[in-house]
Amino acid sequence: MSEKITGAESLVRSLESVGVTDVFGIPGGAILPLYDPLFDSSIRHILVRHEQGAGHAAEGYAAASGRVGVCMATSGPGATNLVTPLADANMDSVPVVAITGQVPSGAIGTDAFQEADIRGITMPITKHNFLVTNPDDIPRAVTEAFHLASTGRPGPVLVDVSKDALQAETEFHWPVQMDLPGYHPVTKPHSKQVREAARMILGARQPVLYVGGGVIRAGASAALRKLADITGIPVVTTLMARGAFPDSHPQHLGMPGMHGTVAAVGALQKSDLLITLGARFDDRVTGKLSTFAPDAAVIHADIDPAEIGKNRTADVPIVGDLAEILPELVAAIEAEQAGGAEGDYEGWWVQLNRLRDTYPLGYDTYDDGTLSPQYVIQRLGLISGPESIFAAGVGQHQMWAAQFIDYEHPNTWLNSGGLGTMGYAIPAAMGAKVAMPDKTVWAVDGDGCFQMTNQELATSTINDIPIKVALINNGNLGMVRQWQTLFYNERYSNTNLESFRVPDFVKLAEAYGAYGLRCESPEQVDAAIEKAMAIDDAPVLIDFVVHKDAMVWPMVAAGTSNDDIMVAREMAPDWSGEDD
């Protein structure tokens, strides 16, 4: 079918045709032609208060639902305000499509009003991007953008459309043929590699399933569970993989890395085989790379061949989609087991259980009656339950939310893992709630992060998006303060945010049309959370005033070996023992 319409109408119809139901954005001059037909569209447009909020909301939408999140902005500063969420989505493999307006094609390169080369700016932080100056190209660009964002290793794609292309007349044709001759992501693994991996797994004495966020992006959690169950191998889930494997499962050792459990970090360090699934040997997991898992062979399965061998050489590389790799690996292991091969991990579990029992996660309580932030977050997880979605900002509260909430399902833990973006939580929670309206969605935020994007509470109120905010308020940039305590002789340079309750977060929430509650003692915690859970007609914020000196433990200091993990300020665990 074809008919004469404007480029802007073609763009709206293209978005409808690829299944878009919700977008987050702000209009402006260059993209204004698009907003006129959008007014009559079935697509729900949510007017955010800052373009960064639009980008993070699109991320939260995608991470909670598995669908592509969509954001829009005008040219120049509107587009550049999307740079941070695009970089964030790129690091964490989040499928996002950003639509930006551009100055008229004849003015490109003249430093026109609100002109920025957003395609050039975002080239290193997007999976791909387009500049469209011919309205006839709009449907194909949209089709390709959504295909690129959601296939292979997911990621952000930007479509920049000049104003004259939006205004010009064109014929709308749908469907359209894609033209991506160099893009052929490998999904099916090489069977020989899978069989070799199965033999290595059953021959290892101290293997670990090192699980990254790729398992969640691939929708492969059920297959991972089957692999763990048939082998009995211990599992660690990275910060990006929380929820990929149930915390309640007896084989789960927790999160590895800079603030991981001693058992998870120790398992990697002492392993003789890392079965690496959708993880990228990030520096926050490996610590000093040359000392990471020194005696381990590596099986590395990933959709992105560029990740394999990037930081650690793989003895068995497997390129493919984990949704296809894991069932094949399970079948190969079952075939080996049917032939009499069986892994012997009994001695390994003795070691790991000793670490797990000796060094459980814990936290300090305070005689003066002030709140432990870990207690707050632990109670939040228990009262809200494992069906809830939790979106965290970045810093201490992020690590405590990863440590002290039990995650049983994928897509229930949203955070900025790779880029570490303060201000992620509120808009990401908002996007998650739009995508999953029947779920309880909490933003676990810090008083530093919250003040970067709290204006999206207004968006949430006006658009009936009843998110809940657990504000962990220690009056400081907590993680930076922790480093100053440990490594800068307690010289607290520019980390104190507290000044006679400026702002008063309860009043601020109420000014945005949300409910505001304050909690300052352990006795008030449960009642405050339960009251927030009972409110569903507007956003609600609880200002949890917590002890300023609470620390995140365990900790591997940046640049040091995982062997030097600290479980308290002066104490490193004992890896040695009779069981070793």
Side-chain angles (χ1 to χ4, degrees):
M1 64 176 225
S2 66
E3 58 181 300
K4 288 279 188 182
I5 56 174
T6 66
E9 290 172 301
S10 175
L11 182 47
V12 170
R13 289 201 192 180
S14 298
L15 293 173
E16 291 171 342
S17 298
V18 294
V20 174
T21 55
D22 308 276
V23 302
F24 305 87
I26 301 181
I31 203 168
L32 201 53
L34 176 63
Y35 272 77
D36 188 60
L38 194 59
F39 190 70
D40 301 316
S41 171
S42 62
I43 295 171
R44 180 189 186 189
H45 179 278
I46 294 165
L47 177 63
V48 297
R49 296 307 184 263
H50 191 288
E51 291 89 355
Q52 183 178 351
H56 291 318
E59 286 190 275
Y61 185 100
S65 68
R67 303 192 296 272
V68 177
V70 185
C71 53
M72 290 180 177
T74 195
S75 63
T80 59
N81 280 341
L82 289 177
V83 167
T84 296
L86 288 173
D88 194 273
N90 194 54
M91 288 283 270
D92 288 347
S93 305
V94 183
V96 167
V97 170
I99 309 291
T100 54
Q102 184 54 274
V103 300
S105 55
I108 292 174
T110 68
D111 293 331
F113 177 66
Q114 289 194 331
E115 181 187 1
D117 177 13
I118 196 60
R119 189 173 183 223
I121 290 168
T122 60
M123 193 80 73
I125 56 166
T126 52
K127 188 173 177 184
H128 190 66
N129 57 30
F130 300 84
L131 171 60
V132 181
T133 57
N134 183 342
D136 297 344
D137 295 337
I138 288 172
R140 182 176 56 81
V142 170
T143 301
E144 291 174 358
F146 277 79
H147 178 70
L148 289 164
S150 59
T151 58
R153 180 178 183 170
V157 179
L158 180 133
V159 182
D160 193 33
V161 188
S162 66
K163 187 173 184 178
D164 55 316
L166 292 173
Q167 293 171 318
E169 210 172 57
T170 183
E171 283 193 358
F172 180 72
H173 298 272
W174 196 271
V176 293
Q177 285 291 112
M178 291 189 293
D179 182 24
L180 297 168
Y183 183 70
H184 301 290
V186 173
T187 59
K188 185 170 175 53
H190 196 294
S191 297
K192 181 185 174 191
Q193 300 296 87
V194 173
R195 290 194 300 272
E196 178 61 24
R199 285 191 290 271
M200 284 184 73
I201 288 167
L202 294 173
R205 300 303 296 269
Q206 299 185 168
V208 178
L209 286 161
Y210 163 25
V211 176
V215 169
I216 291 177
R217 297 288 183 256
S221 295
L224 169 67
R225 174 72 180 265
K226 181 77 184 293
L227 175 62
D229 285 342
I230 67 165
T231 60
I233 292 172
V235 179
V236 302
T237 52
T238 68
L239 179 66
M240 290 305 300
R242 303 292 287 114
F245 190 76
D247 278 350
S248 59
H249 196 289
Q251 286 165 236
H252 192 228
L253 299 178
M255 179 177 74
M258 179 175 273
H259 296 293
T261 66
V262 172
V265 174
L268 292 177
Q269 285 303 96
K270 298 178 76 63
S271 173
D272 65 0
L273 178 64
L274 300 181
I275 306 149
T276 310
L277 307 173
R280 56 190 179 88
F281 293 90
D282 177 70
D283 62 283
R284 285 310 195 249
V285 169
T286 66
K288 187 178 179 182
L289 187 59
S290 62
T291 65
F292 175 67
D295 300 321
V298 173
I299 297 165
H300 193 174
D302 204 287
I303 189 75
D304 185 355
E307 288 297 346
I308 295 176
K310 185 179 82 174
N311 292 326
R312 175 72 176 252
T313 300
D315 297 278
V316 180
I318 306 175
V319 177
D321 187 334
L322 285 162
E324 296 191 37
I325 293 171
L326 289 177
E328 282 204 26
L329 184 56
V330 166
I333 288 172
E334 288 177 332
E336 292 284 324
Q337 290 172 333
E342 203 64 57
D344 176 11
Y345 316 129
E346 186 177 350
W348 182 219
W349 272 112
V350 170
Q351 291 186 54
L352 297 177
N353 285 329
R354 179 177 63 80
L355 287 178
R356 185 154 57 179
D357 295 342
T358 307
Y359 302 104
L361 285 173
Y363 54 87
D364 294 328
T365 55
Y366 303 99
D367 295 336
D368 61 1
T370 52
L371 265 177
S372 295
Q374 300 96 323
Y375 175 74
V376 170
I377 290 169
Q378 191 171 52
R379 295 304 300 164
L380 176 66
L382 288 169
I383 293 169
S384 192
E387 302 302 320
S388 301
I389 294 172
F390 298 91
V394 167
Q396 288 182 313
H397 63 280
Q398 174 192 25
M399 294 299 112
W400 291 322
Q403 291 175 330
F404 290 100
I405 294 174
D406 289 332
Y407 299 97
E408 297 296 309
H409 310 292
N411 307 105
T412 56
W413 163 246
L414 318 179
N415 84 122
S416 171
L419 198 64
T421 305
M422 293 178 69
Y424 170 90
I426 300 297
M430 181 176 74
K433 184 66 174 174
V434 170
M436 310 296 285
D438 297 331
K439 294 274 192 179
T440 298
V441 181
W442 282 93
V444 181
D445 220 357
D447 49 321
C449 286
F450 178 71
Q451 293 182 82
M452 295 193 174
T453 51
N454 66 59
Q455 67 274 9
E456 301 311 335
L457 275 185
T459 309
S460 298
T461 298
I462 291 165
N463 291 281
D464 298 317
I465 307 168
I467 64 170
K468 305 182 193 303
V469 183
L471 186 64
I472 309 301
N473 178 7
N474 65 359
N476 284 272
L477 297 173
M479 189 62 88
V480 185
R481 178 186 168 87
Q482 175 164 333
W483 283 47
Q484 288 173 333
T485 299
L486 294 174
F487 310 120
Y488 293 89
N489 299 315
E490 301 182 14
R491 289 163 55 84
Y492 299 118
S493 173
N494 291 284
T495 45
N496 183 8
L497 298 170
E498 194 170 40
S499 180
F500 307 105
R501 283 202 169 139
V502 179
D504 182 319
F505 291 113
V506 171
K507 289 181 179 177
L508 182 63
E510 291 170 347
Y512 279 132
Y515 293 91
L517 310 170
R518 180 168 288 119
C519 177
E520 301 186 70
S521 70
E523 297 75 31
Q524 300 171 334
V525 169
D526 284 17
I529 296 170
E530 285 161 0
K531 185 172 182 180
M533 292 289 293
I535 295 170
D536 212 31
D537 61 344
V540 56
L541 176 146
I542 311 173
D543 179 15
F544 289 105
V545 182
V546 302
H547 199 285
K548 69 179 181 181
D549 289 320
M551 294 262 203
V552 182
W553 300 115
M555 179 177 181
V556 178
T560 67
S561 170
N562 282 348
D563 291 333
D564 299 322
I565 187 173
M566 298 181 288
V567 291
R569 193 188 292 209
E570 303 296 340
M571 188 170 75
D574 177 17
W575 294 137
S576 64
E578 293 178 6
D579 310 314
D580 293 8

